[in-house]
Amino acid sequence: MSNVKIRDVRAILTEPEPGSRFTVVKIETTEPGLYGIGCASLRTRPQAVKVAIEQYLRPFLIGKDPADIEDIWQSAYVSSYWRSGPILNNALSGIDEALWDIKGKVAGMPVYDLLGGKAREAAAVYAHASAASPEEVEDQAHGFIEEGYHFVRIQVATPGFATYGASGGEGRDRDPQDGPKWITTKAEPADDKYAYAQRAGVYEPKPYMRSAISLMDRIRSSVGWKVELIHDVHERLPTILAVDFAKEVEQFKLFYLEDLLPPHEIGWYERVREQTSTPMAIGEIFNNPLEIVPLITGRLIDFVRTRLSPIGGITPAKKYAAMAELMGIRTAFQGPGNVSPVGQAAHLNVDLNISNFGVQEEAIYSEKIQEIFPGAPTIRDGFMWSNGEPGLGIDINEELAAKYPHNDEGGGHFDNVRRADGTVVRP
Ligand code: MG
């Protein structure tokens, strides 16, 4: 027990770039100047997270000792009786990361030191080579290799169809007036650069499979074996086609195939494992331990790909990572541009400590974002580096953040992709 107590808890919402929609929790203590920040960014439902933090967790936390992270996590987790889910876990993550930040500042140590120290100097990141044509993807991949990257994720538009992870090109679309009928539309590049061009349009699995396989063939032949390649299926393939796809891409020796199947189809990973040694990374939309734990204990995946905020922060992440380590499984935490720099700093601190780190998804933050978040992790030569400052090593300029309120117009939905008859394709 210390004399320091939690004095206030706030959610700070800021959207400095379209679609970024960051939510950051600030915990202030009774010790003047001692505070911590954490990431609670759920860009599709930020107002719900804010309510969970300020209306429900704030009164629960005020007066508690910020040093008791484990106790606070456990008691807050069950304080709603019904628990988990993206809203409650993101809220809890904001609290948890802020408490680790405070503990580090009190100790005068970076969080990775509190966790046991560095297992590596910097965290290798992967870059995104994503374009309308295979030629452009190839150019981008070579550009990244020249910049020093060792890991590149490759995505290309499927000619004539909606695709995850790449924009542009002519596409078949549904006619919103007439219903199921093939029409041809010109896909506009997405204005929301964080959305990875979820162009609403018709998705068909086989054309996607052929274009992705042909891209992997081209890029592997072009870059040789000096770089690791990653590809994201985005959980859209029908189950037996997913097994088939994983088998067919085995020849390209990917670092991993990402999100082959959605959380409601995890039972199929046994079928995949029986058929192929293509490495599997899964977990970015997982938020309940019941989803990821059987995949780890069954040694059915190769990389845990959760992001920290939907699972509840650093406290659960270190447990998942330890369990994965004992099963010979590595991590590949999700970190796209809609993870706040505070969340990315939390990823980095865990990445640096754990022995079974695989790779970290990179987020490139604009100068504007870096100005709002002084101390944001930097990327150099294909690695993300810590500044070694106490806590998470990052701060927020609240005055500047307030200049960019969330744009809640339209609600911020993740666009639906549909089959030709209008059926929603579940990611
Ligand atoms: Mg993914």
Side-chain angles (χ1 to χ4, degrees):
M1 289 286 287
S2 70
N3 292 325
V4 180
K5 303 287 178 228
I6 294 173
R7 188 175 62 79
D8 201 7
V9 179
R10 286 183 291 122
I12 303 161
L13 275 58
T14 183
E15 187 174 351
E17 302 289 354
S20 55
R21 283 183 148 194
F22 301 141
T23 300
V24 171
V25 169
K26 186 167 191 173
I27 295 183
E28 288 170 315
T29 71
T30 50
E31 180 94 359
L34 179 62
Y35 64 88
I37 55 175
C39 179
S41 301
L42 174 63
R43 76 184 180 98
T44 48
R45 298 292 185 273
Q47 295 296 338
V49 176
K50 181 180 162 68
V51 168
I53 293 163
E54 295 189 338
Q55 195 162 328
Y56 298 106
L57 287 169
R58 180 179 178 273
F60 180 81
L61 294 166
I62 287 176
K64 286 193 163 58
D65 184 341
D68 297 338
I69 300 177
E70 186 68 30
D71 179 71
I72 288 176
W73 197 94
Q74 297 295 344
S75 57
Y77 183 61
V78 296
S79 69
S80 52
Y81 192 48
W82 290 272
R83 60 265 196 176
S84 281
I87 291 162
L88 297 181
N89 280 359
N90 267 283
L92 192 49
S93 161
I95 305 296
D96 180 74
E97 291 176 8
L99 292 174
W100 280 100
D101 190 28
I102 290 171
K103 192 177 274 296
K105 287 173 177 170
V106 170
M109 290 176 168
V111 169
Y112 60 75
D113 262 343
L114 296 176
L115 298 175
K118 273 185 183 176
R120 59 195 51 77
E121 289 178 59
V125 292
Y126 71 78
H128 297 89
S130 307
S133 73
E135 294 78 12
E136 290 169 84
V137 178
E138 189 177 342
D139 282 352
Q140 287 181 17
H142 281 285
F144 288 129
I145 294 165
E146 272 167 39
E147 280 180 52
Y149 285 88
H150 185 63
F151 300 84
V152 182
R153 195 180 88 169
I154 52 171
Q155 307 289 140
V156 71
T158 306
F161 292 92
T163 316
Y164 171 77
S167 63
E170 294 257 305
R172 272 176 161 182
D173 210 344
R174 298 181 68 245
D175 184 328
Q177 261 76 49
D178 278 3
K181 185 173 73 173
W182 297 111
I183 59 169
T184 299
T185 56
K186 175 80 183 151
E188 296 299 326
D191 50 5
D192 174 358
K193 66 177 176 176
Y194 296 105
Y196 290 119
Q198 294 289 329
R199 190 177 73 80
V202 169
Y203 171 82
E204 280 297 320
K206 284 182 181 156
Y208 154 71
M209 290 165 73
R210 291 339 301 169
S211 73
I213 288 164
S214 138
L215 177 75
M216 288 180 221
D217 193 13
R218 179 188 184 116
I219 304 294
R220 180 54 86 196
S221 311
S222 171
V223 303
W225 298 99
K226 62 190 174 191
V227 62
E228 294 280 8
L229 299 177
I230 292 167
H231 177 75
D232 187 3
V233 177
H234 205 54
E235 306 113 336
R236 281 184 183 162
L237 288 173
T239 47
I240 192 65
L241 290 183
V243 179
D244 185 56
F245 186 71
K247 279 170 67 175
E248 198 167 350
V249 305
E250 188 181 287
Q251 58 185 309
F252 306 118
K253 306 293 176 195
L254 298 178
F255 187 65
Y256 60 69
L257 188 60
E258 178 181 324
D259 299 332
L260 181 65
L261 294 160
H264 60 279
E265 300 290 9
I266 56 173
W268 277 82
Y269 276 102
E270 278 185 50
R271 304 287 90 78
V272 175
R273 202 53 135 191
E274 286 162 358
Q275 296 283 333
T276 176
S277 61
T278 295
M280 293 290 137
I282 185 79
E284 71 182 46
I285 50 177
F286 287 19
N287 52 71
N288 188 313
L290 295 176
E291 294 163 331
I292 195 81
V293 167
L295 296 178
I296 297 174
T297 55
R299 296 182 171 92
L300 297 174
I301 56 169
D302 302 277
F303 295 88
V304 173
R305 203 186 137 62
T306 51
R307 75 162 86 177
L308 263 55
S309 65
I311 62 167
I314 293 170
T315 296
K318 66 190 176 81
K319 295 171 186 177
Y320 285 17
M323 175 184 250
E325 180 190 349
L326 296 177
M327 296 293 159
I329 294 167
R330 288 176 279 176
T331 65
F333 295 135
Q334 194 212 19
N338 56 66
V339 168
S340 76
V342 181
Q344 201 69 324
H347 287 146
L348 177 60
N349 275 274
V350 178
D351 292 341
L352 290 177
N353 163 252
I354 57 178
S355 68
N356 55 327
F357 168 76
V359 74
Q360 172 66 53
E361 180 173 8
E362 75 167 5
I364 303 292
Y365 296 116
S366 66
E367 275 181 32
K368 195 198 285 178
I369 291 177
Q370 292 183 49
E371 213 183 323
I372 296 170
F373 295 97
T378 50
I379 290 169
R380 195 172 71 243
D381 303 327
F383 290 89
M384 183 155 62
W385 299 80
S386 164
N387 56 19
E389 294 294 320
L392 293 175
I394 188 165
D395 206 347
I396 182 167
N397 181 331
E398 285 192 66
E399 223 171 285
L400 211 50
K403 288 188 182 168
Y404 308 101
H406 278 202
N407 175 10
D408 288 326
E409 212 175 300
H413 303 291
F414 203 74
D415 289 345
N416 286 144
V417 171
R418 295 173 186 271
R419 302 294 292 269
D421 66 358
T423 307
V424 168
V425 178
R426 280 205 233 174

